[in-house]
């Protein structure tokens, strides 16, 4: 995400206009720049991060934070200014401002559907190129070629599964296998090479000197940088970090959007155990960011920007599964930290437009949103509840094992220098292993979404009798034992391959592989249950396995009935999903996305998990008081004149930079450490370096009180009302204040006297919570 987050001061905007009248007469040579500083308070974070180059090793500064509370007040000033103007023109401007959120949501949903259409069509075509091509039209995939299900037009004919129009590369197994592997390797290299273009240098997620080393000992050096590939993975862990109030520069740029879509096409086409559903969420968030930047109220306010990004996330899953309601619930349950009612409404509209446009574009050629439509025609009985519980237990074990083993694998295998320095080589190895293990199994040879579609078939339906699955489940089949072996082998290979695949440097998600594994296992269980279609257990098993991996509940249940159109099986889904979550939580509380955040080193404040950890410790807020050296560096004792020498502030600024944090600041005290205000590092540097150009090096800077004509005044940059809490308050107070109010910093005062004793910044709290979890 580009670092265009604004600074957030609580002083009234009308005071800024008076200040401008006095100051601009003395700084006329920088009139435009000074006016921008006064009116919008552009922070130094923005200036420095915009100027940072790819590959440059920065300290922890890339992970700056926004202040939700200050952004709320800033938006209130904006609203009062807009609605306080009179006249027809301004009334129309007010109406547009009120409607801009809905307009943005509709645009985001529409554009997301268009991108998803291109990705779906291209991925389906390239996936089938591994096995052959359509003689009628090389630009048609197998399904469009054989069944006439063409995009935009719909089904124009029903030729059937077996058709002569699709020509396989060879009639012999060995040449077919060789060509399949060659195409898969080529697609994997293309996808990974494109992902390499989005490499950016980011720091390791550990605070700088004075934060991590807060319990004594010598200062530690600022964390060294690490490489991050913006288009790699699903993007969901990074989006969760952004929506929680942190800033990841350039993560939502157009370049990342393009590479994510391009790379996802080739990554899915390899046949690896990954899906495009996670990348679609990243793509939709990129589109949301680019669209929202065209509206000033979102561009200039980090809190408002995150509102529209939360709505944009919903459209990503809406187009991925054809599940508009499930997409809204997914954004609420799994991704968003801040989700008020108006965000819910806009997410609903965004998801609706995405679904409407995608249905009109018709990428599957069926003319329907439902991807895996089923009509089993049979119902379950209470005795089957036990089987659904078994599927839930299996899904929880699968999810728990996957999360733990993938975390271990990522830490171990990717620590080797050859893998760390040559990510394309790891992709090459994973594609090769996938092809060698999956191609011999007819059930896993197809792309991930086709695997699910094949496993959900109801063999009582005459149209499905000719499918490979139904032929081997027929009573007169001689290969039933080998079919059972293929189902078991497929389940195990999906587990192993998904473990080694998740985290490689291509656009990839984990949703489809988890559904595949669950469908394989559910179909296997269904072979031993009579009187009911095995496809029902494949459907419920898919939900259970995904619940174990992601720990989703309500949103997953809704997604499954939108995905299959089977409303009758909501209760089995609920049973399996809840049991899977309980079992997986007993093996480990973190979902795959939580663990991915830890592996990637992104800061994230999970208030629910953190509260459980804090409640076990019985600690007070004073636990987070910085060391004395740090407090001396960030404290400015303001004399009775309310002015301090410029050299003192410059020295303090250098000390802040040395700590490796760019969104820290200075606390102002008077009369025996009584708190008077807080000035953020960004405003401090901007005032000293930009506004301070017209003043002498030995000038005194006013930080408090009313300024006189000609004074070097920075009092308008000072937050005179920072949130404070007693140092003897329970740690739960601190966590609630940061979690519910979205604070950037919190002042600690001494019990009884009210003297300032410490300052907690958000990243200090995150570091402390990380230590509790270790």
């Amino acid at each position: 995400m580009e670092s265009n987050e604004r600074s957030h001061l609580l002083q009234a905007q009308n005071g800024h206009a008076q200040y401008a009248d006095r100051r601009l007469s003395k700084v006329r040579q920088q009139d435009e720049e000074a006016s921008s500083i006064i009116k919008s308070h552009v922070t130094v974070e923005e200036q420095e991060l915009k100027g940072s180059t790819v590959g440059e090793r920065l300290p922890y500064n890339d992970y700056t934070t926004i202040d939700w509370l200050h952004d709320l007040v800033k938006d209130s000033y904006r609203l009062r200014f807009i609605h306080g103007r009179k006249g027809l023109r301004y009334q129309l401007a007010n109406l547009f401002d009120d409607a801009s959120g809905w307009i943005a949501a509709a645009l985001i949903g529409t554009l997301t559907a268009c991108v998803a259409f291109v990705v779906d069509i291209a991925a389906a075509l390239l996936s089938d190129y591994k096995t052959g091509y359509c003689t009628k039209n090389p630009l048609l995939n197998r399904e469009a070629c054989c069944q006439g299900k063409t995009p935009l037009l719909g089904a124009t004919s029903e030729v059937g599964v077996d058709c002569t129009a699709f020509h396989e590369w060879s009639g012999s197994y060995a040449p077919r296998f060789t060509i399949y592997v060659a195409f898969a390797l080529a697609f994997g290299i293309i996808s990974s090479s494109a992902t390499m273009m989005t490499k950016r240098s980011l720091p390791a997620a550990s605070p700088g000197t004075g934060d991590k080393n807060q319990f004594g000992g010598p200062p530690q050096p600022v964390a060294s940088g690490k490489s991050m590939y913006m288009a790699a993975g699903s993007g969901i862990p990074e989006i969760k970090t952004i929506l929680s109030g942190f800033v990841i520069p350039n993560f939502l740029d157009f370049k990342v959007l393009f590479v994510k879509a391009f790379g996802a096409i080739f990554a899915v086409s390899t046949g690896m155990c990954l899906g495009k559903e996670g990348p679609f969420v990243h793509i939709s968030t990129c589109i949301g960011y680019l669209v929202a930047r065209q509206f000033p109220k979102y561009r200039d306010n980090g809190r408002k920007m995150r509102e529209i990004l939360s709505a944009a996330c919903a459209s990503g899953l809406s187009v991925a599964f054809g599940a508009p309601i499930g997409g809204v619930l997914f954004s609420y349950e799994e991704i968003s930290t801040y989700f008020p009612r108006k965000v819910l409404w806009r997410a609903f509209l965004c998801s609706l437009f995405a679904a409407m446009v995608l249905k009109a574009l018709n990428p599957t050629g069926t003319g329907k949103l439902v991807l895996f439509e089923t009509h089993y025609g049979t119902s379950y009985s209470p005795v089957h509840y036990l089987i659904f519980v078994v599927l839930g237990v299996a899904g929880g074990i699968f999810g728990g094992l996957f999360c733990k083993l993938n975390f271990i694998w990522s830490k171990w295998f990717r620590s080797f220098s050859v893998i760390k320095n040559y990510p394309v080589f790891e992709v090459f190895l994973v594609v090769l292993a996938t092809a060698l293990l999956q191609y011999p199994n007819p059930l896993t040879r197809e792309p991930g979404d086709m695997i699910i579609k094949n496993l959900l078939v109801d063999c009582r339906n005459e149209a499905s009798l000719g499918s490979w699955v139904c032929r081997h489940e027929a009573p007169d089949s001689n290969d039933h034992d080998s079919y059972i072996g293929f189902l078991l082998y497929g389940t195990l290979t999906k587990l192993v391959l998904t473990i080694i695949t998740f985290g490689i440097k291509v656009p990839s998600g984990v949703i489809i592989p988890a559904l595949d594994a669950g469908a394989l296992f559910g179909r296997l269980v269904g072979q031993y249950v009579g009187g009911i279609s095995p496809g029902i257990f494949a459907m419920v098993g898919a939900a259970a396995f995904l619940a174990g991996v992601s720990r989703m509940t309500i949103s997953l249940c809704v997604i499954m009935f939108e995905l299959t159109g089977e409303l009758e099986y909501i209760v089995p889904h609920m049973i399996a999903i809840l049991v899977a979550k309980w079992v997986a939580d007993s093996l480990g509380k973190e979902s795959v996305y939580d663990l991915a955040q830890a592996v990637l080193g992104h800061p994230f404040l999970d208030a629910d998990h953190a509260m459980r950890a804090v409640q076990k410790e019985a600690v007070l807020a004073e636990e987070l008081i910085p060391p004395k050296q740090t407090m001396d560096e960030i404290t400015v004792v303001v004399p009775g004149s309310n002015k301090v020498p410029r050299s003192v502030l410059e020295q303090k600024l250098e000390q802040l930079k040395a700590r490796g944090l760019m969104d820290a600041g200075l606390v102002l005290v008077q009369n025996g450490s009584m708190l008077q205000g807080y000035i953020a590092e960004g405003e401090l540097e901007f005032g000293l370096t930009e506004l301070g150009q017209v003043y002498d090096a030995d000038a005194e800077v006013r930080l408090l009180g009313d300024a006189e004509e000609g004074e070097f005044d920075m009092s308008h940059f000072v937050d005179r009302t920072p949130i404070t809490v007693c140092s003897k308050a329970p740690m739960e107070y601190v966590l609630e204040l940061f979690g519910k109010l979205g604070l950037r910093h919190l002042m600690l005062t001494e019990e009884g006297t009210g003297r300032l004793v410490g300052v907690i910044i958000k990243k200090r709290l995150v570091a402390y919570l990380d230590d509790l979890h270790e």
Side-chain angles (χ1 to χ4, degrees), residues 718-738:
V718 176
D719 177 5
R720 295 299 303 273
T721 58
I723 303 296
T724 62
V725 70
C726 177
S727 62
K728 296 297 183 180
M731 187 65 73
E732 289 85 345
Y733 281 23
V734 175
L735 189 56
E736 283 288 281
L737 286 170
F738 275 99

Side-chain angles (χ1 to χ4, degrees), residues 320-337:
F321 285 125
I325 301 176
V328 175
L329 294 175
F330 176 79
S331 178
Y332 170 74
E333 180 181 3
E334 186 64 25
I335 296 184
S336 299
T337 303

Side-chain angles (χ1 to χ4, degrees), residues 91-144:
Q91 290 298 319
L92 292 176
N94 294 343
L95 291 175
F96 177 78
D97 181 76
D98 292 338
S100 59
W102 302 102
I103 296 172
L107 286 174
I108 293 165
T110 301
L111 294 175
T112 299
C114 294
V115 175
F117 170 77
V118 174
V119 173
D120 284 341
I121 294 300
L125 175 63
L126 292 180
S127 294
D128 287 337
Y129 269 144
K130 300 197 302 292
T131 57
Y133 66 96
C134 181
T135 56
K136 295 189 301 184
N137 185 349
L139 297 180
L140 294 179
N141 59 42
R142 178 193 286 267
E143 193 171 32

